């Protein structure tokens, strides 16, 4: 319970930093955006490490107090859903007003595209003017061409900023993976608290990058 409370504090900090990151990206502030993105990546490393504490429990020890959790579940974290929305996911439930608002404003990747356009890269106008509430599927050849140009100029700030966003994406995916393994280790394949599908649900969230284009460009 303490670990989950600490997570909520870190999630609050990530949301604060993500808002600052978007502001700095859209203002064309390379150094500030880079600094903020790296801070978010460091926070993600920290919360991944905290799973080690939960894994000191044996299945029997967890079962001893599990009934006291009632319907509580980590799945209920509205702040984590808001983080997913801020990063670009558009299929999360929006019971919380903050999450609902995030689903209708620019994602971090949208802000990156505006940053790249302001930095002189030929980002297609439709990508800059798109409806931010629509899911971004990635794979647009024109966007991949822009990103390829960014990485070709690997001495520039833009490539470093893109790599910092990859660090964030990798951090989220790493946290998901460690979360799955922790749940499997403690409760196996049983249903999670609150009636969630436990490890089965968590496995379904693995390997879903927030910024697919930043991974796809490596194969161009």
């Amino acid at each position: 319970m303490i670990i989950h409370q600490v997570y909520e504090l870190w999630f609050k900090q990530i949301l604060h930093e993500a808002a600052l990151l978007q502001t700095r990206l859209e203002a064309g502030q390379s150094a500030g955006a880079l600094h903020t993105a790296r801070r978010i990546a460091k926070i993600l490393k920290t919360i991944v490490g905290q799973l080690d504490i939960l894994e000191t429990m044996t299945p029997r020890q967890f079962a001893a107090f599990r009934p006291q959790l009632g319907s509580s579940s980590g799945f209920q974290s509205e702040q984590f859903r808001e983080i997913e929305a801020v990063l670009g996911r558009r299929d999360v439930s929006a019971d919380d007003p903050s999450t609902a608002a995030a689903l209708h404003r620019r994602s971090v990747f949208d802000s990156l595209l505006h940053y790249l356009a302001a930095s002189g890269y030929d980002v297609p106008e439709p990508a800059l003017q798109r409806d931010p509430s629509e899911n971004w599927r990635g794979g647009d050849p024109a966007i991949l061409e822009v990103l390829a140009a960014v990485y070709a100029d690997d001495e520039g700030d833009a490539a470093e900023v893109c790599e910092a966003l990859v660090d964030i994406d990798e951090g989220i995916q790493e946290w998901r993976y460690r979360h799955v393994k922790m749940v499997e280790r403690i409760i196996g394949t049983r249903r999670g608290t609150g009636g969630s599908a436990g490890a089965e649900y968590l496995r379904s969230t693995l390997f879903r990058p927030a910024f697919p284009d930043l991974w796809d460009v490596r194969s161009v």
Side-chain angles (χ1 to χ4, degrees):
M1 292 171 70
I2 290 171
I3 292 294
H4 277 291
Q5 289 172 348
V6 172
Y7 277 157
E8 289 300 320
L9 291 173
W10 282 127
F11 292 162
K12 183 180 180 71
Q13 185 68 29
I14 289 173
L15 287 168
H16 170 79
E17 299 296 342
L20 179 59
L21 172 60
Q22 289 190 261
T23 297
R24 288 177 166 176
L25 284 171
E26 297 194 18
Q29 298 174 2
S30 298
L34 191 58
H35 178 78
T36 307
R38 286 173 174 167
R39 177 177 291 160
I40 294 171
K42 288 288 187 182
I43 294 171
L44 290 169
K45 288 289 185 185
T46 298
I47 67 173
V48 167
Q50 290 173 354
L51 288 169
D52 292 340
I53 301 170
L54 292 178
E55 288 183 345
T56 62
M57 285 189 296
T58 67
R60 188 181 184 88
Q61 288 169 340
F62 179 69
F65 71 85
R66 188 180 186 186
Q68 299 176 40
L69 298 177
S71 61
S72 299
S73 169
F75 178 71
Q76 296 170 338
S77 174
E78 288 290 352
Q79 287 195 122
F80 187 72
R81 292 178 189 174
E82 185 179 350
I83 289 171
E84 291 184 306
V86 168
L87 293 179
R89 191 170 171 182
R90 290 294 178 262
D91 60 348
V92 297
S93 59
D95 300 327
D96 181 75
S98 296
T99 303
L103 290 171
H104 290 87
R105 63 173 182 262
R106 289 175 184 162
S107 69
V108 169
F109 190 74
D110 288 322
S111 295
L112 175 68
L113 293 180
H114 283 264
Y115 163 79
L116 294 178
S119 299
Y121 293 96
D122 190 20
V123 181
E125 193 63 26
L128 298 174
Q129 300 300 328
R130 78 182 196 91
D131 180 354
S133 68
E134 294 293 325
N135 189 45
W136 178 270
R137 300 188 181 279
D140 184 332
I143 297 300
L144 292 177
E145 185 176 339
V146 170
L147 293 175
V150 169
Y151 278 101
D153 181 21
D154 60 4
E155 299 295 326
D157 292 334
E160 280 198 70
V161 170
C162 287
E163 282 298 278
L165 295 194
V166 171
D167 289 338
I168 293 173
D169 201 343
E170 189 173 310
I172 289 287
Q173 292 186 63
E174 183 181 3
W175 185 80
R176 287 186 184 283
Y177 173 76
R178 284 295 310 279
H179 193 189
V180 168
K181 301 313 291 183
M182 181 271 294
V183 170
E184 288 180 337
R185 182 169 175 162
I186 295 177
I187 68 171
T189 59
R190 288 177 294 172
R191 295 189 69 80
T193 52
S196 68
E200 180 183 352
Y201 165 75
L202 293 171
R203 278 195 298 271
S204 73
T205 69
L206 293 176
F207 310 118
R208 295 177 59 177
F211 314 127
D213 300 275
L214 291 177
W215 296 96
D216 290 345
V217 71
R218 293 155 209 281
S219 302
V220 172

